Structure formats: C-alpha cells, structure tokens
Amino acid sequence: MTLVVTDLAIARGGVPVLEGLSFRLEPGQALILRGPNGIGKTTLLRTLAGLQPPLAGGIDGAEDQIAYASHSDGLKPTLTVVENLSFWASVFGTHDIQPALDAFALTDLSDRYAGNLSAGQKRRLGLARMLVTDRPIWMLDEPTVSLDNTAVQMFADAVRAHLGQGGSALIATHIDLGLDAEVLDVGANKPKPSPIDGFDGGFL
C-alpha cells in the first residue's frame, strides 16, 4: 500500500503550521520525519492518521491502513501486559500476540499490570501494539522516548522486520535508528508570514 500526500496544508489550533507538503511512502520504505521542535511533526502525523482534517491537499492510500503511535503509550494501567495486547489485537481483528511479546522482551512481564511497569517498559508495551494491528503503514511520534539502548535496538529491529514484510513507516525522531531510511525534513514547508497592511498592523 502506497501512501501519497499531495500539496498538504495542516493547522494546529487553527493556526497553519505546514503547507505545500508532498511525498510518497512506498511499501518497504521508511521515512524519518525531521524538523525543529514545534514545526508541526506531531500535527502532520495526526492528520495523516485521520485524527484531524487537513486545511488543503490530498492524502491517498491511508484509509484503514495506518497504525499510529503517539507520545502517549495508550495503555490501560489496570490491565496486565497480556491483557493490554489482547485488547488491541481484538480491536484490529488479530489474535496472536506472542510475536509482539517476543519482539519487545515482554514475555517475562506478561502478568504484570501496566500501571506497575517502568517508563521504558510501558513504552515497549505501547510499541508492541503496532505488531498486533496488522496494518501496513506505521506512523510513530518520537517512539524511543524512555527507551534504553537495548530497547531502541528492539524497536529498530521490529521496524526492519515490518519493512521486510512489505510494510512502511513514517517516524518522527531526532536520533539515528540505524535504519536504511530517507529523511523528510518539513522545515521548508513552514508557512510564509501573511503580509500585513498598515490598517491591520495598528492592531497587532
């Protein structure tokens, strides 16, 4: 499944943050999303995932194909690790959670409540959800927050396996994951300031 973004414009809180953005995300491809803090990377991922509408432009190939991991781990603290993954597997119509447990070294934590996990363990469980969605396009927003070096490698390996199976990934991150990936820098897509005439300027 190819994701095609054409001349996209997006806003945060009604204020335009990016415009004129076009790119393709092909099966087997990873794109690393870069740009300064506050430029609109999170807003872009949320828009592509269908959580908010764009101001303009087209998004083709995203319908029911995207799994999105935000800053929040999306866990139920009163459910165990297995129960959390089983819940998400049922939401997406899949059943086998063992590969996800194995990929993020969660088997020994299977019966532990998510609320009792460390920050890094919660992040690993949150990322493991991606493996039970069975969706080809992954969107990840700063996925390595709270992860140690070993867990970062687990995540990078999971992405490589996903790409090898024909999936794709768009990842907002400032660290080097060691992936064979292109960089999509959205800094050049910051909207240009609107011209202000003399009348309007008197009220600013």
Side-chain angles (χ1 to χ4, degrees):
M1 176 63 65
T2 300
L3 176 69
V4 181
V5 174
T6 307
D7 202 21
L8 191 68
I10 60 174
R12 179 175 58 241
V15 178
V17 290
L18 294 174
E19 65 181 12
L21 180 62
S22 299
F23 67 92
R24 296 173 65 93
L25 183 63
E26 304 282 357
Q29 180 186 17
L31 279 178
I32 302 299
L33 185 59
R34 292 273 168 81
N37 291 336
I39 192 69
K41 299 185 295 295
T42 294
T43 304
L44 173 59
L45 292 174
R46 287 177 53 81
T47 302
L48 295 176
L51 298 179
Q52 64 181 69
L55 292 177
I59 304 170
D60 297 312
E63 298 82 3
D64 297 324
Q65 301 299 313
I66 290 176
Y68 171 56
S70 68
H71 292 150
S72 171
D73 294 317
L75 307 176
K76 298 288 187 181
T78 57
L79 297 183
T80 67
V81 167
V82 163
E83 289 169 342
N84 267 281
L85 282 181
S86 296
F87 168 77
W88 285 108
S90 67
V91 167
F92 288 97
T94 59
H95 303 285
D96 188 6
I97 67 170
Q98 191 59 50
L101 291 169
D102 292 341
F104 287 93
L106 293 168
T107 300
D108 290 344
L109 302 172
S110 294
D111 297 326
R112 188 173 298 183
Y113 290 110
N116 294 333
L117 298 175
S118 71
Q121 290 167 341
K122 288 177 182 177
R123 175 59 72 171
R124 280 157 48 197
L125 178 55
L127 292 172
R129 292 182 305 135
M130 306 296 285
L131 298 179
V132 302
T133 64
D134 199 31
R135 291 195 168 181
I137 304 173
W138 288 3
M139 303 268 171
L140 302 118
D141 196 356
E142 298 293 349
T144 60
V145 171
S146 300
L147 295 184
D148 59 23
N149 290 337
T150 300
V152 169
Q153 188 58 54
M154 290 178 192
F155 168 68
D157 289 343
V159 173
R160 288 190 190 93
H162 180 64
L163 300 178
Q165 295 166 359
S168 58
L170 179 60
I171 308 170
T173 182
H174 293 287
I175 73 167
D176 183 4
L177 296 171
L179 299 173
D180 182 13
E182 297 180 24
V183 173
L184 176 62
D185 192 330
V186 296
N189 296 98
K190 183 177 180 179
K192 296 176 177 58
S194 299
I196 300 175
D197 60 32
F199 178 81
D200 289 335
F203 292 91
L204 297 180

